[in-house]
Amino acid sequence: MSVTRRGVVYLVGAGPGDPGLMTRRSLELIAAADVVYYDRLIPPGALDGARADAELIYVGKQPGVPSVPQAEIGERLIEAARAGRSVVRLKGGDPFVFGRGGEEGEALRAAGVEFEVVPGVTAGVAASAYAGIPVTHRDDASAVAFVTGHEDPEKAETALDWDALAAFPGTLVFYMGVKRLGENAAALIAAGRDAEEPAAAIERGTWAGQRTVTATLGTIASTVEREDIGAPALIVVGAVAARREALAWLERRPLHGRTVVVTRARAQASGLAATLRGLGANVVELPAIRIEPLLESDEVRRAVATIADYDLICLTSPNGANLLFDALAAAGQDGRAAGGTTAPGTKTGTAGGLDARALAGATVAAIGPGTARALAAHGIAADVVPERFVAEALVEALSDVDVKGKRVLIARAAEARDVLPDALRERGATVNVVAVYETVREAPDDEAIAAAQDADYVTFTSSSTVRNLTEALGDRFPAGARIVSIGPITSAAVAEAGLEVAVEAERHDVDGLLAALLADATTN
Ligand code: SAH
């Protein structure tokens, strides 16, 4: 079953720029498409969910740069659909609002190709909302008009009736309005619109770095020029533009205007990055490491095959917990072949592998709440979870558990400290340390490094990221940034790298790190 039909073209709106404003349907179609033809102004990461084997083809137009002509885009869509592929045509905002979606639909229909339209949040509504400007208001505007400020230069005559627009009883929202703003504002005033009427210009609405300026219809052009507002920008003319004074909210978010670098491996970064964006931060992802699972090793196979023999199982990271369950799930297929004794009571069928029941006899310890959550997602409520997120705290929390003569499994990263196994061995346990993953270096790309240069904050969630990133960046480490560390071990690595920690989290998990950063941002 698929959410897409073969041979159909989906004309899909990607919204105005904030990835959070993409519709559920758009993401579903992108994830299923064989081929995506996309424009320039689509949100960052919009295509991240596309299939690895999907063809992603850029057909955008950029001022002053040769581009794929409109007729050819239509032909390509028709060709791809006729070849029986499921085709997504992804456009900024809404495909039917100044998006040429109508023309493309007509060309498809003429060629006998089926299409569907998925609306998107249009910039006129979204950028205004992010600027604190309601396009309608009971007291100010009972109507709103979307107007093009820059018509197709090939059109012989203007379609804009300035007299009618001047008399329009409501808000005027101009798309593509920056280039001809001076002429358009003058034409409106000449046709009788009040020069004192409030007006606003919104640049890169809903993107990180959105800027808004307000003026009057008479002064908006000079204001836009002075403030260097450039495309893409929207011009709003109407009394509602003055409502921004009372309704601006974007700029009030706690991390507005701050650039925060996230250094976690990409697979782990998304939660932290999304939370920071939600607080208003401009997030730069600068991963210096990547998680590489090691589930094929003999030690992992052996540990899984004998999983029921362990009295205590310790997980020291969410990755470790998730990968242990991956290894268990894979074991059903070849667990016995790995050479271990198949544990009594465990499933021996080939379908599905092992699951949480394989851990039924053991005490399960998690190093912190994040790891406990990962375990919970697999149906295991951890027996032991220390308050503080360091190995020493887990050792302390385990002091009540009698480990003498017991078999302990620690599933963790290949490169980790030996505090936990050493302490347990000292207390008489037989400890098997198994590496279920390793963190490997990844060179951060130059674009991200450049974007990080003006960062206000760099966040570190582990000592290995500190070492890898500082070595990878050398003297390109953002000099002015305040460093936020998740805890003492990470802080020590920062100091070792010759840098200074500005804030250390009190709780050594991601929420603690966020709280520390927020507290610092309100005072600095
Ligand atoms: N189909 C799109 C509009 C495409 S026309 C939609 O529905 O939003 C391109 C124009 O849209 C730009 O010149 C600009 O005026 C406006 N625009 C698009 N994205 C914008 C954004 N994020 N902020 C402000 N204006 C934007």
Side-chain angles (χ1 to χ4, degrees):
M1 221 173 64
S2 170
V3 296
T4 55
R5 292 191 284 145
R6 296 170 66 82
V8 172
V9 175
Y10 297 87
L11 301 172
V12 180
D18 180 342
L21 296 179
M22 293 181 74
T23 64
R24 181 183 291 212
R25 181 68 174 147
S26 72
L27 296 174
E28 194 171 276
L29 289 169
I30 289 165
D34 295 321
V35 51
V36 181
Y37 291 94
Y38 64 98
D39 277 352
R40 189 165 61 100
L41 289 176
I42 60 167
L47 301 175
D48 286 358
R51 285 184 357 226
D53 63 339
E55 234 186 301
L56 308 176
I57 302 170
Y58 175 73
V59 290
K61 298 182 182 65
Q62 211 160 331
V65 179
S67 55
V68 185
Q70 187 64 36
E72 196 185 319
I73 296 176
E75 280 163 29
R76 288 204 204 170
L77 295 177
I78 291 164
E79 217 172 282
R82 282 188 177 153
R85 310 175 82 190
S86 81
V87 186
V88 164
R89 171 74 176 108
L90 192 65
K91 293 164 167 291
D94 181 280
F96 275 10
V97 179
F98 303 125
R100 308 193 75 160
E103 289 160 64
E104 288 175 18
E106 280 155 8
L108 292 167
R109 178 62 46 83
V113 171
E114 290 299 320
F115 64 86
E116 293 183 21
V117 181
V118 180
V121 182
T122 189
V125 172
S128 305
Y130 273 46
I133 299 172
V135 291
T136 72
H137 189 285
R138 272 171 74 90
D139 297 332
D140 291 340
S142 301
V144 54
F146 293 154
V147 186
T148 170
H150 184 86
E151 285 187 281
D152 189 342
E154 288 155 32
K155 262 198 203 172
E157 270 175 79
T158 172
L160 288 181
D161 179 340
W162 293 105
D163 290 334
L165 286 175
F168 182 75
T171 309
L172 301 176
V173 177
F174 286 93
Y175 287 67
M176 300 165 277
V178 176
K179 208 166 167 196
R180 294 205 191 150
L181 181 55
E183 293 144 84
N184 291 351
L188 273 177
I189 294 167
R193 196 108 183 169
D194 184 0
E196 295 303 314
E197 189 171 9
I202 308 154
E203 178 189 75
R204 291 179 65 79
T206 82
W207 292 77
Q210 161 171 350
R211 286 200 301 153
T212 306
V213 298
T214 49
T216 63
L217 179 57
T219 58
I220 187 72
S222 58
T223 305
V224 159
E225 198 178 331
R226 189 181 65 237
E227 301 292 333
D228 199 23
I229 296 282
L234 208 71
I235 312 295
V236 181
V237 177
V240 288
R243 296 270 165 191
R244 171 172 159 76
E245 260 174 58
L247 293 175
W249 55 270
L250 198 74
E251 296 81 354
R252 297 164 65 91
R253 295 190 299 177
L255 295 179
H256 176 77
R258 309 286 183 115
T259 297
V260 181
V261 176
V262 171
T263 59
R264 308 192 91 183
R266 216 174 277 289
Q268 305 171 293
S270 60
L272 177 58
T275 307
L276 287 165
R277 285 195 188 100
L279 293 165
N282 172 30
V283 175
V284 178
E285 287 187 34
L286 209 57
I289 56 169
R290 191 175 73 232
I291 306 292
E292 202 65 56
L294 294 174
L295 302 185
E296 303 296 319
S297 74
D298 285 344
E299 60 169 18
V300 170
R301 283 160 182 261
R302 255 195 312 273
V304 164
T306 59
I307 193 78
D309 299 346
Y310 289 98
D311 304 295
L312 171 65
I313 297 174
C314 300
L315 284 322
T316 60
S317 70
N319 281 315
N322 290 327
L323 287 167
L324 176 63
F325 279 94
D326 286 353
L328 287 170
Q333 281 82 28
D334 54 13
R336 284 195 291 186
T341 50
T342 303
T346 53
K347 289 200 297 174
T348 52
T350 50
L354 302 177
D355 61 20
R357 288 169 288 180
L359 274 56
T363 299
V364 179
I367 199 167
T371 304
R373 272 196 295 275
L375 283 168
H378 295 283
I380 297 287
D383 301 295
V384 182
V385 189
E387 292 272 296
R388 289 186 317 128
F389 174 69
V390 290
E392 286 81 354
L394 184 55
V395 170
E396 213 179 290
L398 284 168
S399 59
D400 295 343
V401 181
D402 181 19
V403 296
K404 197 166 162 52
K406 298 285 167 69
R407 295 198 57 192
V408 180
L409 173 66
I410 302 177
R412 64 171 201 185
E415 57 298 287
R417 297 184 311 141
D418 286 325
V419 175
L420 181 62
D422 287 353
L424 292 171
R425 281 186 188 121
E426 211 160 281
R427 288 168 48 199
T430 309
V431 182
N432 185 17
V433 177
V434 171
V436 287
Y437 67 95
E438 62 181 334
T439 52
V440 299
R441 276 171 188 251
E442 184 166 63
D445 66 81
D446 285 337
E447 211 176 305
I449 296 175
Q453 288 309 303
D454 294 327
D456 300 286
Y457 289 98
V458 175
T459 57
F460 282 118
T461 50
S462 78
S463 47
S464 60
T465 24
V466 174
R467 281 189 291 273
N468 283 304
L469 190 71
T470 50
E471 279 168 28
L473 293 190
D475 58 6
R476 291 185 300 169
F477 190 90
R482 290 173 71 76
I483 294 176
V484 189
S485 152
I486 199 164
I489 312 295
T490 302
S491 297
V494 171
E496 229 167 79
L499 296 164
E500 196 186 322
V501 171
V503 223
E504 184 181 289
E506 274 172 32
R507 260 186 56 190
H508 309 312
D509 57 19
V510 171
D511 287 342
L513 177 99
L514 272 168
L517 194 160
L518 272 174
D520 189 76
T522 45
T523 49
N524 283 288

